[in-house]
């Protein structure tokens, strides 16, 4: 996984730096939206960082921020302290990550600087973690209304295609060496936007709403929409902003909104309810075979047997997301199991299911 | 159509992936970023209408082998073929 011991040490230090910055962000106003732990639970987590974090190996690089700088239980951080920490992290990110941008190639080559042999392993290097930390810094800038700083940082994050090009990346426990780090990282996910789509989105918001630069916002939205790594929800958000700007009279060269699809016809199917009506428990109905069953089977049976609904011509299956997932697995089987570097670490692995969300 | 160039990659790799149900990067951005050419080529094949043949072959060769996302039990061979009918 790691090229050498130094790479691992640098990675650990970067994780601690990131965790420190996240606690700054929590202190400056992210508290309300942190993860579901009660405040009592959070205090416990925060009071024990030193014992849980373990002691860094002697000679290992020190994190930029640690709990000595940001008291774990601190509710307030002075703005100057927070902003100077942000500046320090951004500088560290520049130093670690900007030495050689890759050009857009079909497949990213091994990383010359960190020694990561594949794009997948780049996430276990210090620059990747510092990229996440830089995104956290951007959020802190925004909280202090330092929009020009935030905008510049978002532009830098978006101007590179070497770190975090694709995903919202949710750090998982095996990324973090301690529960404290893991908890902080997971709270960071709720506070910080961690993918290019969201960066474009925040950038557009800052330029449009805070700088009142409408023409600039149009440019940002158009650039974001042409970024191949921006997908689904963020694409929709950028389009929405662009349409609003167009409505205000700014030229956007956007295709007209397609008309909404006609609503599907509604049909009412009657069945005999055999379970008690309890909230939170699936209702059960009597199926045609006399067995209790769920509502989906009732609908399927109706379509299979009721001539008024199309009669026996229907073939139905209740599988929800399994349909798409199965089709993907089958249609891309050989791509999934192709001999690809670094992604098959052990013969027993499942997917790193919580390792990320795409 | 056949999967000839990639052959039985699952077994070619048997020592390492014998009990593996998915590559580790499946749910990360790296999955697409590092396999873009292969994925685009497959999408082009599907657009060209090769889906049913592909499903038939994978179903015949790999049915029952576990893979993240694939619910063999929920879809019989006929149901699976029905999903990709053109």
């Amino acid at each position: 996984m790691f090229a050498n011991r130094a790479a691992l040490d640098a990675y650990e230090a970067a994780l601690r730096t990131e965790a420190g910055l996240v606690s700054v962000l929590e202190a400056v106003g992210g508290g309300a939206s942190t993860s579901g732990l009660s405040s009592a639970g959070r205090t416990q987590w925060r009071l024990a960082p030193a014992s849980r974090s373990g002691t860094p190996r002697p000679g290992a690089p020190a994190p930029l921020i640690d709990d000595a700088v940001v008291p774990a239980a601190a509710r307030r951080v002075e703005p100057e302290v927070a902003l100077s920490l942000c500046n320090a992290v951004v500088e560290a990110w520049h130093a670690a990550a900007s030495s050689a941008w890759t050009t857009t190639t079909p497949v990213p080559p091994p990383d010359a600087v960190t020694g990561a042999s594949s794009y997948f392993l780049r996430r276990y290097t210090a620059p990747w973690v510092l990229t996440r930390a830089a995104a956290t810094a951007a959020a802190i800038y925004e909280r202090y209304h330092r929009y020009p700083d935030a905008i510049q940082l978002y532009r830098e994050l978006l101007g590179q295609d070497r770190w975090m090009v694709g995903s919202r990346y949710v750090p998982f426990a095996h990324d973090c060496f301690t529960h404290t780090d893991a908890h902080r990282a997971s709270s960071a996910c709720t506070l910080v936007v961690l993918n290019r789509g969201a960066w474009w989105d925040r950038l557009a918001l800052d330029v449009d709403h805070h700088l009142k630069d409408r023409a600039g916002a149009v440019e940002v939205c158009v650039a974001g929409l042409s970024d191949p790594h921006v997908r689904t929800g963020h694409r929709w958000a950028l389009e929405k902003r662009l349409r609003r700007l167009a409505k205000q009279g700014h030229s956007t060269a956007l295709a007209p909104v397609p008309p909404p699809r006609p609503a599907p016809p509604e049909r009412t199917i009657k069945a005999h309810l055999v379970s008690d009506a309890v909230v939170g428990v699936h209702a059960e109905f009597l199926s045609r075979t006399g067995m209790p069953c769920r509502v989906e089977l009732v609908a399927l049976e109706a379509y299979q047997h009721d001539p008024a609904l199309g009669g026996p011509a229907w073939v139905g299956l209740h599988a929800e997301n399994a349909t798409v997932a199965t089709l993907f697995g089958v249609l891309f089987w050989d791509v999934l199991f192709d001999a690809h570097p670094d992604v098959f670490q052990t013969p027993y692995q499942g997917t790193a299911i919580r390792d990320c969300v795409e | 159509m056949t999967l000839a160039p990639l052959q039985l990659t699952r077994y070619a790799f048997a020592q390492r992936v014998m009990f593996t149900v998915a590559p580790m990067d499946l749910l990360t951005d790296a999955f697409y970023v590092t396999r873009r050419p292969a994925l685009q080529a497959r999408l082009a094949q599907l657009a060209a209408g090769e889906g049913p043949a592909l499903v038939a072959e994978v179903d015949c060769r790999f049915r029952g082998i576990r893979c993240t996302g694939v619910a063999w039990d929920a879809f019989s061979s006929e149901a699976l073929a029905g999903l990709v009918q053109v």
Side-chain angles (χ1 to χ4, degrees):
Chain A
M1 293 284 282
F2 295 95
N4 49 45
R5 181 77 214 192
L8 174 58
D9 287 340
Y11 174 68
E12 277 191 40
L15 279 180
R16 292 201 162 89
T17 298
E18 186 199 16
L21 204 60
V22 168
S23 58
V24 171
L25 181 58
E26 285 174 349
V28 299
S33 55
T34 47
S35 67
L37 286 180
S38 68
S39 59
R42 274 212 303 277
T43 309
Q44 273 183 357
W45 281 109
R46 289 167 163 205
L47 287 177
S51 58
R52 286 184 186 271
S53 297
T55 314
R57 208 168 57 88
L64 286 168
I65 307 171
D66 59 21
D67 297 304
V69 182
V70 185
R75 277 282 165 225
R76 264 184 67 77
V77 175
E78 293 305 319
E80 307 79 53
V81 177
L83 289 172
S84 67
L85 289 173
C86 288
N87 294 339
V89 166
V90 173
E91 265 174 43
W93 176 58
H94 284 160
S98 69
S99 46
W101 306 128
T102 55
T103 52
T104 306
T105 47
V107 174
D111 193 62
V113 177
T114 57
S117 54
S118 66
Y119 178 79
F120 174 59
L121 287 190
R122 285 187 200 185
R123 70 203 56 230
Y124 302 106
T125 63
W128 184 290
V129 179
L130 287 172
T131 309
R132 281 202 314 252
T136 312
I140 296 175
Y141 285 139
E142 285 176 331
R143 274 188 215 215
Y144 284 116
H145 309 291
R146 301 281 287 256
Y147 298 110
D149 288 336
I151 286 168
Q152 202 204 331
L153 191 46
Y154 281 131
R155 286 193 193 281
E156 286 171 3
L157 285 165
L158 290 164
Q160 53 86 30
D161 59 358
R162 198 162 158 229
W163 315 104
M164 296 181 72
V165 298
S167 68
R168 182 168 97 99
Y169 179 76
V170 180
F172 175 49
H174 77 247
D175 245 15
C176 307
F177 289 89
T178 68
H179 292 293
T180 313
D181 289 348
H183 167 62
R184 284 185 178 165
S186 66
S187 347
C189 296
T190 63
L191 302 175
V192 188
V193 293
L194 290 174
N195 69 77
R196 290 177 72 89
W199 294 341
W200 282 116
D201 206 7
R202 294 302 303 184
L203 179 60
L205 173 81
D206 290 348
V207 171
D208 181 12
H209 187 70
H210 296 298
L211 292 196
K212 314 278 183 216
D213 176 3
R214 312 297 180 202
V218 170
E219 272 174 36
V220 169
C221 292
V222 170
L225 287 172
S226 67
D227 183 337
H229 297 295
V230 177
R231 288 184 299 274
T232 55
H234 297 296
R235 182 162 288 280
W236 179 83
L238 288 169
E239 270 194 37
K240 193 174 160 204
R241 184 173 298 280
L242 209 47
R243 293 194 193 288
R244 194 161 62 234
L245 288 162
K247 221 180 253 177
Q248 295 167 1
H250 303 278
S251 75
T252 57
L254 195 66
V257 189
R261 287 186 200 175
E266 276 186 32
R267 302 218 164 101
T268 306
I269 296 165
K270 293 197 168 132
H272 187 66
L273 181 69
V274 291
S275 64
D276 295 331
V278 180
V279 175
V281 179
H282 285 285
E284 296 215 313
F285 300 88
L286 208 56
S287 77
R288 277 162 202 256
T289 57
M291 298 295 288
C293 67
R294 288 198 188 171
V295 64
E296 293 90 354
L297 190 59
V298 172
L300 279 175
E301 282 187 338
Y303 276 97
Q304 274 159 7
H305 297 291
D306 189 345
L309 292 173
W314 291 101
V315 178
L317 206 60
H318 170 225
E320 302 191 8
N321 292 338
T323 312
V324 173
T326 300
L327 268 183
F328 175 77
V330 170
L331 291 173
F332 291 82
W333 188 276
D334 50 337
V335 182
L336 274 166
F337 292 108
D338 189 14
H340 218 73
D342 303 324
V343 298
F344 295 106
Q345 296 278 348
T346 82
Y348 299 98
Q349 79 193 29
T351 325
I353 280 178
R354 293 186 54 201
D355 185 20
C356 55
V357 176
E358 258 295 286
Chain B
M1 117 166 235
T2 63
L3 305 179
L6 290 163
Q7 295 163 0
L8 292 172
T9 49
R10 184 133 201 184
Y11 299 119
F13 233 13
Q15 286 308 309
R16 292 199 79 173
V17 303
M18 204 183 321
F19 304 101
T20 296
V21 296
M24 272 180 98
D25 63 347
L26 176 60
L27 301 180
T28 72
D29 62 333
F31 182 78
Y32 176 74
V33 168
T34 55
R35 290 177 188 71
R36 191 158 33 171
L39 291 170
Q40 294 292 355
R42 176 53 44 85
L43 288 173
Q45 284 181 325
L46 297 181
E50 294 181 26
L54 194 59
V55 166
E57 181 171 355
V58 170
D59 186 280
C60 167
R61 278 161 72 169
F62 302 115
R63 173 162 282 278
I65 295 178
R66 283 187 61 199
C67 167
T68 290
V70 177
W72 292 119
D73 294 347
F75 298 91
S76 64
S77 296
E78 296 74 36
L80 209 50
L83 289 179
V84 287
Q85 264 172 13
V86 274

